[in-house]
Amino acid sequence: MKNIKKIIIVFTIIIVSVVLIRYVYNYSNNSNIGYKGSLPKVGAAIYKYDDEFMSYIRNSMEDASYGKIALIMNDSQNDENIQLMQIDEMISKGVCALAINLVNPKAAQIVIDKAKAWDLPVIFFNKEPDASVLNSYNKAWFVGTDSKESGILQGKMIVDLWNQNKSKWDKNHDGKISYVLLKGEPGHPDAKARSKYALDEIRKAGIPVEKLDEATAMWDAAKAKEKMDGWISKYNNKIEFVISNNDVMALGAIDSLEKNGYLSGNKFIPVVGIDAIPDAIKKIKEGKMVGTILNDANIQGKAIIDLVTNAAKGKNVFNGTSWRGNSDKSVRIHYVIIIKDNIDEAEQAYK
Ligand code: GAL
């Protein structure tokens, strides 16, 4: 009888211990305390997955995050409210840092307020917040590019290409570039700067320009095609250059031009874009597009992950990295002019 009592006591102790150990183990792996296993949790949001250039940034971030952080990635579906809800949800899941591609660049302050309340660092990327907002929080940084640089380089590229091909491209021989301009999302720092500085650069080189038309096509191919269809029927043979704020819209314009009998034989209109995405590279190789500007998604994705990993671990964001931070709390990756001659540079970047 005594022995049976002993066995029951030992057995009960074993069961209670197993339950306790499991409880402690589960608690330490609980999703609310900042780490998943040994990796710090980081919350990220892309303004919309349905944006080709951003999909390359996302892929690069996912690759670079492997083994370093537990990345929670969200598609904000181009809806500011959805994005803010996603941020709240990530905070409640216990992330250690945030990496945010804003839907609305003007919402940076709201994001900072949410992060600040939990002392969380935030790395903004691609859409640059206003400097004053970034400066208002010592745990906020920006990873992206210098929007102005992309406009200047696109302008320089247009000048060089025009000077080499003027005799064919200046259809009415008036010395002016008669252009149409496809613009990205209104209020987007890249769209604003690219539209301004590309044209300033052409004028600076002493080439007069004539704006036939301009419109926003929201970085989108279908919208750009629709605009271009309208311009082709309105201006017929007057268009001498198509300048686009990004490649996706340039590809939409090319689609329209091809369907309207252009880009073959001597019915040629030069088209330029920005980003150097693989589909644009293909068109440059085929001679249907004359140039683009490399916006290096791969390097930007790596920089975002390096900074946010350090931030999530409470370290200096540049710790152990080779990224150069600017005094305005940014890391900016340089753009590169891409024409047929140096196409391999763009191919390497998007490999
Ligand atoms: C730009 C890029 C565009 C679009 C936009 C989204 O830098 O050139 O193609 O992806 O970002 O914010």
Side-chain angles (χ1 to χ4, degrees):
M1 193 63 185
K2 252 188 171 177
N3 273 347
I4 292 181
K5 251 188 173 177
K6 262 190 187 164
I7 289 170
I8 289 176
I9 289 170
V10 169
F11 199 66
T12 313
I13 289 173
I14 290 173
I15 289 183
V16 169
S17 309
V18 167
V19 169
L20 254 173
I21 288 167
R22 274 196 71 99
Y23 180 79
V24 170
Y25 178 80
N26 281 343
Y27 184 79
S28 62
N29 276 292
N30 184 305
S31 47
N32 272 328
I33 47 173
Y35 273 70
K36 190 171 178 208
S38 61
L39 304 179
K41 282 193 286 185
V42 167
I46 301 281
Y47 94 97
K48 62 170 183 172
Y49 278 6
D50 187 19
D51 173 304
E52 199 171 333
F53 173 72
M54 290 315 303
S55 73
Y56 290 103
I57 295 225
R58 175 159 63 99
N59 289 345
S60 165
M61 286 172 70
E62 277 166 351
D63 286 353
S65 70
Y66 189 73
K68 281 189 179 169
I69 50 174
L71 188 63
I72 305 169
M73 189 60 98
N74 288 271
D75 176 4
S76 301
Q77 299 159 49
N78 209 15
D79 183 321
E80 187 180 334
N81 291 324
I82 293 184
Q83 182 163 75
L84 294 175
M85 267 162 44
Q86 290 168 336
I87 292 172
D88 287 339
E89 205 182 305
M90 293 189 285
I91 293 175
S92 74
K93 281 186 180 159
V95 294
C96 303
L98 294 164
I100 306 296
N101 170 215
L102 293 161
V103 170
N104 173 7
K106 296 280 168 227
Q109 187 64 61
I110 307 176
V111 175
I112 284 184
D113 291 345
K114 286 182 186 293
K116 222 176 187 173
W118 295 90
D119 200 31
L120 292 178
V122 196
I123 310 294
F124 291 102
F125 60 97
N126 172 255
K127 292 192 199 178
E128 184 168 358
D130 287 344
S132 58
V133 178
L134 205 61
N135 276 324
S136 72
Y137 184 38
N138 64 343
K139 292 192 172 178
W141 292 269
F142 171 66
V143 174
T145 58
D146 173 5
S147 309
K148 184 176 169 185
E149 186 189 33
S150 54
I152 292 178
L153 291 184
Q154 193 185 45
K156 283 191 190 304
M157 175 174 73
I158 293 170
V159 168
D160 285 349
L161 291 167
W162 179 261
N163 286 339
Q164 287 159 25
N165 296 283
K166 209 172 5 197
S167 57
K168 287 177 282 167
W169 293 355
D170 187 8
K171 296 206 182 78
N172 57 3
H173 305 288
D174 66 351
K176 288 189 213 163
I177 302 182
S178 304
Y179 71 91
V180 289
L181 173 66
L182 286 163
K183 299 197 291 184
E185 200 187 334
H188 193 305
D190 289 349
K192 264 199 253 172
R194 290 172 185 175
S195 303
K196 174 177 166 32
Y197 291 104
L199 287 151
D200 280 3
E201 207 55 36
I202 303 171
R203 290 190 200 98
K204 259 206 226 159
I207 302 173
V209 287
E210 183 195 6
K211 179 171 82 185
L212 294 175
D213 227 317
E214 64 172 34
T216 177
M218 305 295 286
W219 307 122
D220 181 82
K223 290 195 177 74
K225 180 180 179 297
E226 202 185 298
K227 295 288 171 202
M228 196 68 217
D229 284 344
W231 290 337
I232 291 173
S233 60
K234 191 166 171 195
Y235 302 105
N236 199 6
N237 275 329
K238 283 194 186 151
I239 304 170
E240 294 171 337
F241 227 112
V242 180
I243 306 172
S244 175
N245 281 175
N246 81 341
D247 282 349
V248 169
M249 295 188 295
L251 292 167
I254 289 172
D255 191 15
S256 162
L257 286 166
E258 287 187 305
K259 290 199 170 115
N260 283 285
Y262 285 87
L263 304 183
S264 62
N266 54 2
K267 279 189 90 183
F268 189 77
I269 297 178
V271 180
V272 289
I274 291 180
D275 285 339
I277 53 171
D279 286 345
I281 297 305
K282 217 170 127 207
K283 289 289 176 195
I284 296 176
K285 279 185 166 170
E286 288 168 6
K288 310 263 176 188
M289 184 167 165
V290 295
T292 184
I293 304 296
L294 172 61
N295 188 5
D296 201 321
N298 188 23
I299 295 192
Q300 288 174 59
K302 286 186 176 139
I304 297 161
I305 295 300
D306 279 351
L307 265 68
V308 85
T309 303
N310 275 331
K313 292 180 176 167
K315 296 183 182 165
N316 177 307
V317 286
F318 299 110
N319 185 63
T321 76
S322 55
W323 308 113
R324 293 251 315 265
N326 302 309
S327 55
D328 60 357
K329 301 171 79 191
S330 70
V331 170
R332 298 180 194 274
I333 308 303
H334 283 297
Y335 287 101
V336 183
I337 292 178
I338 300 291
I339 51 170
K340 218 171 186 167
D341 297 346
N342 66 338
I343 206 101
D344 45 322
E345 251 182 87
E347 281 179 322
Q348 285 300 326
Y350 277 90
K351 233 177 185 172

